[in-house]
């Protein structure tokens, strides 16, 4: 919305202004609202009129810092960079982007997020936080999230770092109410004790060597994905036995965990189970997405719940998956 003075938009009838604003992108609407107090009030008013402009915010706290806005099937991005970018919007990888230079990118990022949430009441739907680039500012960013981003407890959260991040992960979880989907991609020390918030139902840990049998048994999530593991075959056998006898992980419906080789299955499934013919292909669901599974092992819980376990090959890795497909 550059050179607004060249077009007397604010002198037009309100109905015409509404029609014009209904055609602009969320990025342009924010730019328009920042021109003056009057444009802010107009933009805020019309964003709440039918058809209501429904948007979700994605916070990307890594370099470069950016705020993404989902509107319908379109994704927009406000990016804060360390160089002088070209003016206006551009399209990159089907994302409509606007870049802005700032000498203080964290402050610029915070101000933009607070403004979008305050003026338009758009909720934060996803948060991606890399602890590496900001180092000694991580705790202050977490403090800001706690105070300003009120909807953090309703969004999908992903934390990642190549450095050992025990303190930052603990501080994040101690200060923010995380619920729904939580992905941990940080490097953790071998003795780290992860306390998963009770409201988290989907847990994914990529560097999960630190997760012990006792920790896994304490994760009362609907979905647990561990891409690396130090848990032994005998411990996995006991884990499934506990699940079958309702001793632990009663909410679990989707398990995905790394194993060493196919020979491990003999030890893991030294328990009551039914071998499904490899020629039998059944349709399973993960995150409401259907996919075929051939063969596998069916295990039954004491309450009648049935789950199918099967192996899946990844890039240089072998995984064991369990999916509940019949719940009584």
């Amino acid at each position: 919305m550059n050179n607004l003075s060249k077009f007397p938009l604010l002198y037009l009838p309100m109905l015409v202004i509404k029609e014009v604003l209904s055609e602009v992108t969320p990025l342009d609407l924010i730019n328009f609202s920042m021109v003056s107090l009057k444009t802010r009030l107009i933009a805020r008013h019309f964003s709440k009129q039918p058809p209501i402009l429904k948007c979700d915010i994605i916070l990307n706290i890594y370099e470069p810092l950016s705020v993404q806005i989902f509107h319908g099937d379109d994704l927009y991005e406000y990016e804060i960079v360390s160089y002088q970018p070209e003016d206006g919007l551009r399209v990159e990888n089907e994302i409509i982007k606007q870049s802005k230079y700032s000498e203080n990118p964290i402050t610029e990022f915070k101000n933009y997020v607070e403004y979008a949430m305050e003026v338009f009441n758009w909720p934060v739907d996803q948060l991606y936080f890399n602890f590496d680039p900001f180092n000694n500012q991580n705790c202050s960013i977490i403090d800001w999230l706690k105070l300003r981003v009120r909807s953090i407890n309703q969004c999908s959260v992903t934390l990642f770092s190549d450095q050992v991040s025990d303190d930052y992960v603990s501080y994040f979880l101690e200060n923010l109410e995380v619920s729904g989907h939580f992905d941990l991609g940080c490097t953790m020390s071998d003795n780290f004790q992860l306390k998963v918030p009770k409201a988290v139902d989907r847990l994914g840990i990529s560097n999960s060597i630190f997760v012990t049998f006792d920790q896994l048994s304490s994760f009362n999530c609907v979905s647990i994905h561990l891409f690396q593991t130090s848990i032994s075959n005998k411990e996995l056998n006991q884990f499934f036995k506990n699940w079958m006898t309702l001793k632990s992980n009663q909410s679990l419906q989707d398990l995905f965990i790394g194993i060493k080789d196919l020979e491990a299955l003999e030890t893991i499934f030294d328990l009551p189970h039914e071998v499904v013919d490899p020629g039998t292909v059944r349709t399973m669901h993960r995150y409401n997405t259907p996919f075929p599974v051939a063969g596998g092992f069916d295990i039954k819980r004491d309450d009648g719940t049935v789950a199918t376990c099967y192996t899946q090959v990844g890039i240089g890795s072998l995984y064991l998956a369990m999916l509940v497909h019949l719940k009584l």
Side-chain angles (χ1 to χ4, degrees), residues 291-311:
F291 60 95
V293 172
F297 305 87
D298 277 2
I299 58 176
K300 189 174 183 179
R301 205 161 65 177
D302 287 350
D303 64 355
T305 299
V306 178
T308 292
C309 302
Y310 61 95
T311 56

Side-chain angles (χ1 to χ4, degrees), residues 133-283:
F134 309 108
N135 217 348
N136 59 354
Q137 299 184 75
N138 286 327
C139 289
S140 65
I141 293 173
I142 293 170
D143 292 339
W144 169 78
L145 288 169
K146 180 180 180 180
L147 290 174
R148 300 297 184 184
V149 187
R150 296 176 298 278
S151 59
I152 190 71
N153 63 335
Q154 300 173 4
C155 78
S156 170
V157 174
T158 301
L159 307 179
F160 48 102
S161 171
D162 292 329
Q163 304 175 21
V164 175
S165 303
D166 295 18
D167 292 341
Y168 290 141
V169 171
S170 296
Y171 192 76
F172 186 96
L173 293 176
E174 288 169 1
N175 286 276
L176 295 170
E177 296 181 9
V178 180
S179 65
H181 190 177
F182 178 53
D183 277 328
L184 182 60
C186 298
T187 300
M188 313 304 296
S189 65
D190 291 341
N191 60 352
F192 180 70
Q193 296 293 313
L194 177 62
K195 297 179 180 179
V196 178
K198 293 181 179 180
V200 169
D201 55 25
R202 287 171 54 182
L203 174 66
I205 308 177
S206 54
N207 301 317
S208 51
I209 291 293
F210 71 91
V211 177
T212 63
F213 169 79
D214 289 337
Q215 287 192 72
L216 174 60
S217 299
S218 72
F219 298 159
N220 193 31
C221 306
V222 173
S223 173
I224 302 174
H225 287 201
L226 307 180
F227 294 92
Q228 299 173 343
T229 182
S230 59
I231 297 173
S232 69
N233 297 332
K234 288 186 177 180
E235 287 175 324
L236 276 178
N237 169 264
Q238 187 60 52
F239 175 81
F240 284 115
K241 287 179 178 178
N242 290 347
W243 180 84
M244 295 169 68
T245 56
L246 300 169
K247 292 180 179 178
S248 71
N249 305 87
Q250 294 184 29
S251 299
L252 184 63
Q253 299 183 34
D254 171 21
L255 175 69
F256 194 84
I257 189 168
I259 59 174
K260 294 181 179 179
D261 48 48
L262 290 174
E263 286 70 27
L265 298 178
E266 182 176 351
T267 300
I268 295 172
F269 288 101
D270 183 19
L271 45 73
H273 68 274
E274 179 182 341
V275 178
V276 181
D277 189 291
T280 300
V281 179
R282 293 175 291 181
T283 300

